[in-house]
Amino acid sequence: MHYYTFHPKDYMSKTGFLAPLEDLAYRRMLDYCYLNEKPLPSDVDEIALLVSMRSHSDSIAVVLRYFFELTEDGYINDRVEKEIEAYQEKSEKARVSARARWDKRKPKKDSKASKDKDSCERNANASETHDGRNANQEPITTNQEPVTNTNGDDEKSLNIPFDVFWKTYAKSVAKDKCEVKWESLSDKIREQIMQHLPAYVASTPIKKYRKDPMTYLNKKGWLDDIIVDEPGINQQSQPSYSSMNVNAKYEDPDYDPLDGLSSRAGALHENY
């Protein structure tokens, strides 16, 4: 595809939380998929090379995390896949239609047609090539249009889709309830959450110490300070058990638990 319709309002509503370099990476990655009609490679550094952003692999990784899915064929974007499939189907129908129109226009074989055979064949080839090219380059008019969900969900109209929050939080507890809560929040609150969430997740690498996502949403966890343990504090005051072997005396085969009792008893007798 050398052309596709772009809707800035729809695009900005889904990508408002991206940093400028992340936004640039996303646009170039979309252009690559549309132009080549195939997924992105599975290697981040190779993608960075293809979109001329070799020193910004971290920005590309963020975009892949939120907007692409890794498959056997590489990274795909659901919206791009649907648009390319529709485009190819429409192009094929256009080619078939052009062929049918041309077949109807072909003159019947007669004496005059025989005399002008060479001329007719040249004209036919020229017209068929023109029709085929136009069919391939016909723009897609539905690109970037909101998709209507037949189940009644309005996720596509959210400024930040629920899946973005869910994948970032990375703790699967009460997903359905969390999705309902997420959709009830305002656009501004969702943006505040996505600004706070990556740092909060990084501060709680062990998931059992991370709040359940529903608790985070209900108690406005995005307003809490992120507390990170500072290295070196109270380290000297804590006993080091790594160098201690509290069972050493019990591992000695010559150890006698009654040894020494007689000497201690004699000392007690002398004192009294």
Side-chain angles (χ1 to χ4, degrees), residues 205-218:
I206 302 177
K207 292 185 180 181
K208 70 178 182 178
Y209 297 124
R210 191 180 306 163
K211 299 175 184 177
D212 287 350
M214 194 63 187
T215 302
Y216 178 90
L217 294 175
N218 283 334

Side-chain angles (χ1 to χ4, degrees), residues 28-45:
R28 291 188 177 184
M29 291 156 71
L30 286 176
D31 289 345
Y32 175 88
C33 292
Y34 280 120
L35 181 61
N36 296 280
E37 299 182 22
K38 66 179 183 180
L40 291 165
S42 57
D43 182 73
V44 176
D45 292 335

Side-chain angles (χ1 to χ4, degrees), residues 43-231:
D43 182 73
V44 176
D45 292 335
E46 185 177 356
I47 296 175
L49 179 64
L50 292 174
V51 300
S52 301
M53 295 185 69
R54 284 177 288 182
S55 59
H56 300 288
S57 296
D58 52 342
S59 298
I60 292 173
V62 171
V63 175
L64 290 173
R65 181 179 181 182
Y66 291 140
F67 298 102
F68 287 81
E69 179 182 359
L70 181 60
T71 66
E72 294 181 355
D73 298 326
Y75 282 99
I76 64 171
N77 177 283
D78 289 341
R79 185 56 177 272
V80 173
E81 289 295 302
K82 292 177 181 178
E83 295 294 347
I84 292 177
E85 182 179 356
Y87 166 78
Q88 292 175 345
E89 181 179 357
K90 190 172 184 179
S91 297
E92 180 62 26
K93 290 181 178 179
R95 281 192 291 268
V96 172
S97 178
R99 170 70 66 178
R101 289 197 305 270
W102 176 247
D103 288 342
K104 290 180 179 180
R105 295 173 185 173
K106 285 183 177 180
K108 295 181 179 180
K109 292 183 178 181
D110 52 21
S111 58
K112 184 178 180 180
S114 298
K115 294 178 183 179
D116 300 330
K117 179 179 179 180
D118 293 338
S119 177
C120 289
E121 288 179 350
R122 285 195 298 271
N123 292 336
N125 290 333
S127 298
E128 289 172 350
T129 301
H130 177 72
D131 287 343
R133 184 173 63 254
N134 287 342
N136 277 328
Q137 300 306 322
E138 187 171 356
I140 299 301
T141 58
T142 59
N143 189 29
Q144 298 294 346
E145 289 293 334
V147 178
T148 302
N149 194 321
T150 57
N151 294 326
D153 296 331
D154 196 27
E155 179 183 321
K156 294 297 181 180
S157 66
L158 301 180
N159 63 327
I160 301 176
F162 172 72
D163 285 345
V164 173
F165 164 79
W166 194 249
K167 290 180 180 179
T168 305
Y169 207 97
K171 185 176 181 181
S172 299
V173 179
K175 181 178 181 180
D176 292 341
K177 293 182 179 179
C178 290
E179 185 171 7
V180 173
K181 179 67 176 180
W182 182 260
E183 292 176 353
S184 69
L185 300 174
S186 66
D187 289 352
K188 182 178 180 180
I189 293 298
R190 283 190 286 266
E191 291 175 359
Q192 291 177 354
I193 291 173
M194 292 311 302
Q195 290 174 1
H196 176 271
L197 191 55
Y200 172 66
V201 171
S203 69
T204 54
I206 302 177
K207 292 185 180 181
K208 70 178 182 178
Y209 297 124
R210 191 180 306 163
K211 299 175 184 177
D212 287 350
M214 194 63 187
T215 302
Y216 178 90
L217 294 175
N218 283 334
K219 295 190 176 182
K220 299 182 179 180
W222 61 91
L223 299 179
D224 297 340
D225 292 334
I226 297 176
I227 301 175
V228 180
D229 292 337
E230 298 182 7

